[in-house]
Amino acid sequence: MSLQCTVVNGQETKPTKNALAFINATIYVSPTDPAILEGSVVIENDKIIAVGKKSEVKLPNSAKVIDCKGLTITAGFWNSHVHFTDPKIANAPSLSNSELSAYLEQFLIKYGFTYAFDIGSFPENTNNIRQRINNGSVSGPLILTTGLPLTAEDGTPFYVKAMNIKLPELTSVDVAVKIVNQNIAAGLDGIKIFAGSPMGPGKAEKMMPVEIAKAVIKTAHKKGKLVFAHPSINDGILVSLESGIDILAHTTPDGGLPWDSQMIQQMVKKNLYLIPTLKLWKWSLANNNQSPQQIEDFVSIAIRQVKDFNEAGGNLLFGTDIGFMDDFDPTDEYVYLQKAQLNFRQILAMLTTTPSKKIWFFKAIWQTCGWCECRYGGF
């Protein structure tokens, strides 16, 4: 069950006639506040008007009441790393509204995700999806997008080349500035680069020159946009640190070692956020017919990287790389995060308050409208 009460482009959505009241739920207003037991949430005209203990919240006479005994209500979740490249949705304009809604239900909504940041897809396709959501034709999450990732010269990753796709290449500082400005002018919400591009088994990664990465970030930041980086290996993290990247899209277990404390300290000092994508490593290795022991050994390196980063005070965002992965269930990601010794409230922050604070879009809504966009997801 999920309920969305939204503001789109600074305007309230069309009011509904009936109020809704969810009662007898366990409610987490935030990851830090005490849980409200036997609580109520009241929605009126698409806005949350009351949250509190059942005994303290008055229900409108016209409200439709839904008993949530045994259920939990939180803020709607963020998945900060998705793609709309799954063949089932890669040609969204060809799908009917009901087909697209059904896909998005299985892709994101059924798992409580009411926000998604697409960090690598064809923008025409993603824009078709979110336009149909925004105009009410399709039921789905609020979607932000970076469009296609940007690479160094000859830096399209081998697995992207295998799909007969060539990513935009940044051959100079001037080209980087031009492409970033074009992308932002076209309505993209952020930029993604390959700080290190995987070129294939046995081949060295293609690193983005630091001066070009710096030009990307300077240009994007002037427009108020975040920049994500795919690091591939630790050298990709070093490029990200030197250039000023905002968010790392992955951990880097390919190096075979935990991160050293000096690099972690620099990541924390420079406020570099991390999306772990731990389940991705299990999925990728399983698809390459690796043994259970090989998978466990590989994933344990990434888990250790997350554990050490978190304990050093680093900021974590939840993301699963679905769309690239065809297994949408986030359960394994939660299990791996627990193995990294994150507790329930820390994981809840990754899903809710941390991305809301980091991603500028919601600050803009608050400044424009005077109240924060409200989306609640019950599970």
Side-chain angles (χ1 to χ4, degrees):
M1 172 184 67
S2 68
L3 179 66
Q4 304 172 14
C5 308
T6 67
V7 166
V8 178
N9 297 326
Q11 299 296 318
E12 293 184 35
T13 54
K14 186 178 179 179
T16 57
K17 295 180 179 179
N18 298 321
L20 276 173
F22 299 86
I23 64 171
N24 295 322
T26 299
I27 303 171
Y28 289 90
V29 176
S30 82
T32 55
D33 290 324
I36 300 173
L37 304 180
E38 295 187 349
S40 298
V41 177
V42 180
I43 316 296
E44 195 171 74
N45 293 334
D46 285 345
K47 289 180 70 172
I48 297 169
I49 62 169
V51 179
K53 292 182 178 180
K54 180 181 176 181
S55 59
E56 299 172 354
V57 174
K58 183 178 180 181
L59 306 185
N61 292 333
S62 61
K64 177 181 178 180
V65 177
I66 298 175
D67 192 342
C68 297
K69 185 175 179 61
L71 301 177
T72 299
I73 295 176
T74 74
F77 294 163
W78 271 91
N79 193 323
S80 298
H81 188 150
V82 309
H83 302 278
F84 292 100
T85 52
D86 179 348
K88 294 178 181 177
I89 201 174
N91 187 14
S94 70
L95 299 178
S96 68
N97 290 335
S98 60
E99 288 171 330
L100 183 53
S101 293
Y103 180 91
L104 293 170
E105 171 71 22
Q106 297 302 312
F107 189 55
L108 290 161
I109 296 299
K110 73 178 289 185
Y111 300 112
F113 296 111
T114 58
Y115 307 92
F117 216 130
D118 161 33
I119 59 171
S121 304
F122 288 100
E124 299 84 0
N125 195 61
T126 303
N127 283 335
N128 177 270
I129 295 167
R130 62 177 181 177
Q131 286 166 7
R132 291 161 71 182
I133 292 170
N134 290 346
N135 69 24
S137 301
V138 166
S139 177
L142 185 148
I143 297 170
L144 305 179
T145 185
T146 65
L148 290 173
L150 312 178
T151 77
E153 187 173 5
D154 299 322
T156 296
F158 73 97
Y159 52 83
V160 178
K161 284 183 179 178
M163 298 184 286
N164 295 317
I165 296 171
K166 183 178 180 180
L167 297 178
E169 296 179 1
L170 307 182
T171 55
S172 68
V173 166
D174 289 343
V175 170
V177 171
K178 180 180 179 181
I179 290 178
V180 171
N181 277 326
Q182 287 175 341
N183 285 357
I184 293 172
L188 300 185
D189 306 295
I191 300 294
K192 180 185 177 182
I193 67 168
F194 274 89
S197 295
M199 303 312 292
K203 297 181 180 180
E205 283 75 7
K206 182 79 172 183
M207 309 309 298
M208 181 169 286
V210 170
E211 66 272 17
I212 291 180
K214 283 183 175 179
V216 169
I217 293 153
K218 182 178 180 180
T219 306
H221 284 182
K222 280 184 178 179
K223 304 290 186 179
K225 307 299 183 183
L226 296 172
V227 182
F228 296 75
H230 180 119
S232 293
I233 57 175
N234 288 0
D235 284 350
I237 297 179
L238 297 179
V239 169
S240 300
L241 285 169
E242 191 172 348
S243 58
I245 286 291
D246 298 297
I247 300 169
L248 283 181
H250 298 286
T251 44
T252 57
D254 282 347
L257 294 171
W259 291 335
D260 66 72
S261 60
Q262 184 176 0
M263 187 175 74
I264 290 175
Q265 288 169 8
Q266 285 298 306
M267 292 166 73
V268 175
K269 181 179 179 181
K270 294 199 173 184
N271 202 31
L272 181 58
Y273 281 55
L274 171 66
I275 306 171
T277 64
L278 298 173
K279 178 181 176 175
L280 170 67
W281 311 127
K282 173 186 176 182
W283 178 87
S284 296
L285 269 63
N287 280 353
N288 285 319
N289 300 314
Q290 301 295 300
S291 71
Q293 187 60 54
Q294 288 172 314
I295 294 172
E296 182 178 346
D297 291 345
F298 192 85
V299 175
S300 68
I301 297 166
I303 289 172
R304 174 66 183 276
Q305 292 171 350
V306 174
K307 176 180 179 294
D308 292 346
F309 180 75
N310 179 62
E311 290 179 351
N315 288 302
L316 293 162
L317 300 171
F318 191 92
T320 52
D321 209 351
I322 53 173
F324 178 75
M325 283 199 307
D326 59 9
D327 180 356
F328 306 151
D329 188 341
T331 301
D332 283 344
E333 191 75 17
Y334 297 134
V335 171
Y336 286 144
L337 289 170
Q338 287 181 315
K339 288 185 177 181
Q341 298 188 15
L342 276 79
N343 61 38
F344 163 77
R345 289 182 178 273
Q346 289 172 314
I347 296 171
L348 184 59
M350 291 174 65
L351 289 157
T352 57
T353 52
T354 304
S356 292
K357 290 175 183 176
K358 181 62 176 175
I359 297 172
W360 66 269
F361 181 81
F362 297 94
K363 292 182 180 179
I365 286 180
W366 178 275
Q367 292 165 357
T368 301
C369 306
W371 61 281
C372 188
E373 178 169 355
C374 300
R375 291 184 174 214
Y376 269 72
F379 61 94

